[in-house]
Amino acid sequence: MKKILIGILLVILYCFPFVYFSMYQDFANGSMRGYVVMIVVTVFLAYFCKAYSHTLFLIIGNLLSVIISFYFISEMAGNERWEGYFKPISPYQLLILVSLLNLIPQFFAIKATKNHKNKEIDSLD
């Protein structure tokens, strides 16, 4: 029961539109800090998903984050500056690209968590 509650909490934290936030920070401030924040936060969330819950919650959380980001990006669709800022690709294509690239550091966090757990088990033996 505890793992499920932690998993639900992690999914709720994942519901933040990380990619939209990153793209908006890039658009509004010309800053890549939003992307760095996204990577750091999602790596920590992936670590906690693997360490204290189940990987299924990580998958659900990432999907919800992409869906919510898609919604906010579609709200910006009428803004010509927004549409032209991410050329040569569209904001939707960048959403997919950044979402997929963001899975790479999360994958490494999952692997590191698994290795850390294995070392703890080996040290107990």
Side-chain angles (χ1 to χ4, degrees), residues 53-94:
S53 188
H54 195 273
T55 311
L56 178 64
F57 293 110
L58 179 132
I59 295 166
I60 293 169
N62 273 300
L63 287 174
L64 288 174
S65 181
V66 169
I67 291 167
I68 294 168
S69 290
F70 181 84
Y71 169 77
F72 283 111
I73 288 171
S74 68
E75 291 294 311
M76 295 290 284
N79 187 335
E80 289 181 22
R81 284 187 46 225
W82 173 266
E83 293 288 328
Y85 185 79
F86 301 106
K87 292 287 182 195
I89 61 176
S90 74
Y92 297 111
Q93 291 170 329
L94 187 61

Side-chain angles (χ1 to χ4, degrees), residues 22-23 26 31-39 86 94 98:
S22 302
M23 290 172 64
D26 187 8
S31 172
M32 301 300 275
R33 289 184 189 140
Y35 297 103
V36 173
V37 169
M38 174 187 63
I39 291 169
F86 301 106
L94 187 61
V98 171

Side-chain angles (χ1 to χ4, degrees), residues 6-119:
I6 292 172
I8 291 170
L9 174 65
L10 290 168
V11 168
I12 291 170
L13 292 173
Y14 259 115
C15 283
F16 184 80
F18 291 107
V19 178
Y20 169 75
F21 171 77
S22 302
M23 290 172 64
Y24 187 79
Q25 290 300 313
D26 187 8
F27 171 72
N29 303 324
S31 172
M32 301 300 275
R33 289 184 189 140
Y35 297 103
V36 173
V37 169
M38 174 187 63
I39 291 169
V40 170
V41 171
T42 55
V43 163
F44 279 117
L45 289 174
Y47 171 81
F48 287 120
C49 270
K50 186 64 178 175
Y52 300 107
S53 188
H54 195 273
T55 311
L56 178 64
F57 293 110
L58 179 132
I59 295 166
I60 293 169
N62 273 300
L63 287 174
L64 288 174
S65 181
V66 169
I67 291 167
I68 294 168
S69 290
F70 181 84
Y71 169 77
F72 283 111
I73 288 171
S74 68
E75 291 294 311
M76 295 290 284
N79 187 335
E80 289 181 22
R81 284 187 46 225
W82 173 266
E83 293 288 328
Y85 185 79
F86 301 106
K87 292 287 182 195
I89 61 176
S90 74
Y92 297 111
Q93 291 170 329
L94 187 61
L95 166 69
I96 300 300
L97 178 66
V98 171
S99 297
L100 291 174
L101 290 175
N102 190 37
L103 292 175
I104 296 169
Q106 291 181 62
F107 174 75
F108 286 119
I110 290 169
K111 287 292 187 189
T113 306
K114 190 183 296 184
N115 291 341
H116 182 69
K117 277 186 166 182
N118 289 342
K119 285 181 184 178

